[in-house]
């Protein structure tokens, strides 16, 4: 009736609708013959619309923006207009807004999805018809986005249990995590590069380390990546810089690359070179000496680690282990010692004579684990012995660094004061009768999990008498 001219008319019955903005409901009932004055109802009509836009694709877990514009196309300002935005049925935004006449309101929402495939975003304005409209077919809009499988990799450094030593071969290990949703298989061609550099005498020097290639990682998992390299001699006390980079050739697209690189620093320690002085004439033991037995020292005799490998076109988790065998340093009296003898498997000699040492430091696996190939470990590279005459002191000048004669076998260095340059250590003349036992330390046995080291007591030599019991000055 909004087109009826104001006047007097005959009506049967008239029911006026609710005025959505100003007027109250009016119901007029009259007889057919009566006349009444009709006050024309002119309701306020709005016209709203909505547009929603999203990218066509986004990676799994990757944030994307939902850009929604709500419009009031009518000539009157609107207050308390209900608007809503939902993603795959989940409501992200649900409120009432005010929009000026002919104006608009923009809402931008950031969200993400961990579920792959095509997804729907819905937006609406005045969907519940709270406001009366002249046209409402554009009150809703939808948009679609495809969630793609995401690739996201992260690298971490596995801090070793010991420092790197000059002149030794070490293993630096990193953990690469696949926090995306795509398997890294051999066809992915994933690699990790390691750059090692240091400054010495104002010159920057680099160590060439080949990239680790064909790295495989199931999505949601991780794998170890390790590099075997040699620390140059003469670098003790020098700080080395390490830069490890996932996918250094940028051949793999990732949702985030800020965690693809790690930078760290390690200071190199010196090579062991401690030697003890040869024994000299002393008619009695030093005042500081107390009879002692080899102390109990901490060892790290074994390490295990697990790696994903590719077999029969799928991932296989393999567990490796390496441990020190129970080989002990073998000490034997010098063949030139006239008091040397063996009884019931125990050597004896007088004090003041020397002994030789042979230590074949063995390595073995642990039952239930695989013995690794040579790329994943180093043979023992450093060994020392601690001596009872110095009360097993580890200080420089009170212990003896052994010589690596190859394949994990160690011996005393050549003693120029011995007959025929024999590898001997001379016991003190003052050493009391009783048990003489050395303690050996094997070190620099590197694995992807860290450095293995262990302390082993030698066999026993019984000291009985001294060199003076075997020799005398013949009178004329």
């Amino acid at each position: 009736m909004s087109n009826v001219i104001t006047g007097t008319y005959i009506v049967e019955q008239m029911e006026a609708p609710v005025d959505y903005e100003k007027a109250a409901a009016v119901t007029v009932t009259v007889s057919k013959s009566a006349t009444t004055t009709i006050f024309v109802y002119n309701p306020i009509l709005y016209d709203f619309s909505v547009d929603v836009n999203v990218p066509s694709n986004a990676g799994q877990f990757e944030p994307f923006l939902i850009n929604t514009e709500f419009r009031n196309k009518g000539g009157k300002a609107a207050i308390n207009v209900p608007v809503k935005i939902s993603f795959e049925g989940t409501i992200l935004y649900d409120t009432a807004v005010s929009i000026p006449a002919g104006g608009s309101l923009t809402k931008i929402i950031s969200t993400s999805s961990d579920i792959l495939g095509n997804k729907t975003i819905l937006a609406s304005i005045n969907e519940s018809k709270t406001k009366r409209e002249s046209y409402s077919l554009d009150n809703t809009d939808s948009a679609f986005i495809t969630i793609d499988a995401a690739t996201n990799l992260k690298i971490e450094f596995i801090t070793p249990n010991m420092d790197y030593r000059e002149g030794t071969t070490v293993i630096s290990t990193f953990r690469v995590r696949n926090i995306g949703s795509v398997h890294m298989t051999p066809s992915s061609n994933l690699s990790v590069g390691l750059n090692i550099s240091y400054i010495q005498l104002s010159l920057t020097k680099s160590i060439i380390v080949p990239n680790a290639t064909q790295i495989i990682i199931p999505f949601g998992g991780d794998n170890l990546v390790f590099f075997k390299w040699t620390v140059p001699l003469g670098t003790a006390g020098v700080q080395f810089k390490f830069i490890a980079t996932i996918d250094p050739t940028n051949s793999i697209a990732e949702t985030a690359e800020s965690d693809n690189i790690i930078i760290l620093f390690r200071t190199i320690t010196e090579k062991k070179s401690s030697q003890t002085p040869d024994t000299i004439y002393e008619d009695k033991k030093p005042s500081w000496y107390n009879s002692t037995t080899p102390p109990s020292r901490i060892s790290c005799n074994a390490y295990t680690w697990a790696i994903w490998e590719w077999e029969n076109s799928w991932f296989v988790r393999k567990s490796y282990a390496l441990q020190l065998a129970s080989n002990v340093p073998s000490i034997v009296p010098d063949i030139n010692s006239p008091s040397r003898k063996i009884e019931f498997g125990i050597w004896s000699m007088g004090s003041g004579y020397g002994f030789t040492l042979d230590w074949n430091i063995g390595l073995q696996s642990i039952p239930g684990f695989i013995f690794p190939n040579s790329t994943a470990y180093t043979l023992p590279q450093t060994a020392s012995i601690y001596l009872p005459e110095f009360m097993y002191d580890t200080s420089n000048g009170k212990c003896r660094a052994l010589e690596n004669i190859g394949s994990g076998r160690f011996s005393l260095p050549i003693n120029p004061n011995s007959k025929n340059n024999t590898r001997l250590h001379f016991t003190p003349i003052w050493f009391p009768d009783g048990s003489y036992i050395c303690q050996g330390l094997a070190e620099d046995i590197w694995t992807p999990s860290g450095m293995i080291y262990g302390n082993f007591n030698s066999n026993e030599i019984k000291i009985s008498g001294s060199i003076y019991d075997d020799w005398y000055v013949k009178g004329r």
Side-chain angles (χ1 to χ4, degrees), residues 182-438:
V182 179
H183 291 310
M184 292 290 105
T185 66
S187 62
S188 303
N189 292 317
L190 176 62
S191 63
V192 173
L194 178 62
N195 177 273
I196 305 173
S197 62
Y198 61 99
I199 298 175
Q200 195 173 39
L201 300 176
S202 300
L203 297 175
T204 299
K205 301 179 181 181
S206 297
I207 298 174
I208 303 301
V209 182
N211 287 356
T213 59
Q214 298 287 292
I215 299 166
I216 62 166
I217 317 172
F219 72 76
D222 61 73
N223 213 359
L224 296 182
V225 177
F226 49 88
F227 300 87
K228 191 175 180 179
W229 59 283
T230 300
V231 184
L233 277 170
T235 57
V238 176
Q239 186 181 70
F240 278 40
K241 181 180 181 180
F242 299 78
I243 304 176
T245 307
I246 299 173
D247 187 31
T249 59
N250 293 316
S251 59
I252 298 175
E254 294 188 56
T255 57
E257 296 184 348
S258 60
D259 50 6
N260 278 24
I261 188 169
I262 187 170
I263 301 175
L264 57 118
F265 299 87
R266 304 287 292 181
T267 299
I268 305 303
T269 59
E270 66 179 350
K271 182 180 180 179
K272 288 191 173 182
S273 59
S274 174
Q275 295 298 330
T276 59
D278 280 328
T279 184
I280 59 175
Y281 170 74
E282 290 176 282
D283 59 356
K284 60 182 179 179
K285 66 182 180 181
S287 59
W288 49 262
Y289 176 80
N290 289 316
S291 179
T292 184
T293 56
S296 176
R297 288 192 166 106
I298 296 174
S299 295
C300 181
N301 288 350
Y303 266 123
T304 65
W305 63 96
I307 294 177
W308 286 108
E309 297 183 7
W310 192 253
E311 288 187 359
N312 299 320
S313 300
W314 195 242
F315 298 94
V316 178
R317 188 77 163 171
K318 292 190 176 182
S319 297
Y320 293 88
L322 194 69
Q323 68 175 344
L324 284 165
S326 57
N327 304 3
V328 301
S330 174
I331 56 175
V332 177
D334 179 15
I335 59 173
N336 294 307
S337 168
S339 59
R340 148 187 162 128
K341 63 181 178 179
I342 187 169
E343 292 181 337
F344 307 107
I346 299 177
W347 285 102
S348 65
M349 69 177 188
S351 63
Y353 289 109
F355 62 82
T356 61
L357 180 146
D358 182 71
W359 191 7
N360 186 13
I361 302 172
L363 299 175
Q364 62 188 26
S365 187
I366 296 174
F369 292 82
I370 304 169
F371 191 90
N373 62 43
S374 59
T375 62
Y377 73 95
T378 68
L379 291 173
Q381 300 172 85
T382 305
S384 306
I385 57 166
Y386 307 124
L387 304 164
E389 61 263 39
F390 291 100
M391 300 178 65
Y392 303 100
D393 196 327
T394 63
S395 302
N396 194 46
K398 296 185 178 181
C399 62
R400 303 204 68 168
L402 301 180
E403 184 176 329
N404 187 347
I405 57 178
S407 301
R409 191 171 180 177
F410 291 81
S411 181
L412 290 163
I414 292 174
N415 190 332
N417 295 316
S418 66
K419 184 179 180 180
N420 301 322
N421 288 326
T422 310
R423 297 177 181 274
L424 288 177
H425 171 76
F426 291 103
T427 59
I429 298 173
W430 56 261
F431 198 87
D433 288 356
S435 179
Y436 187 99
I437 299 174
C438 300

Side-chain angles (χ1 to χ4, degrees), residues 17 79 91 432:
I79 61 173
I91 297 175

Side-chain angles (χ1 to χ4, degrees), residues 2-15:
S2 59
N3 295 324
V4 179
I5 300 173
T6 303
T8 300
Y9 297 86
I10 297 175
V11 297
E12 293 185 359
Q13 182 173 329
M14 186 276 291
E15 183 174 302

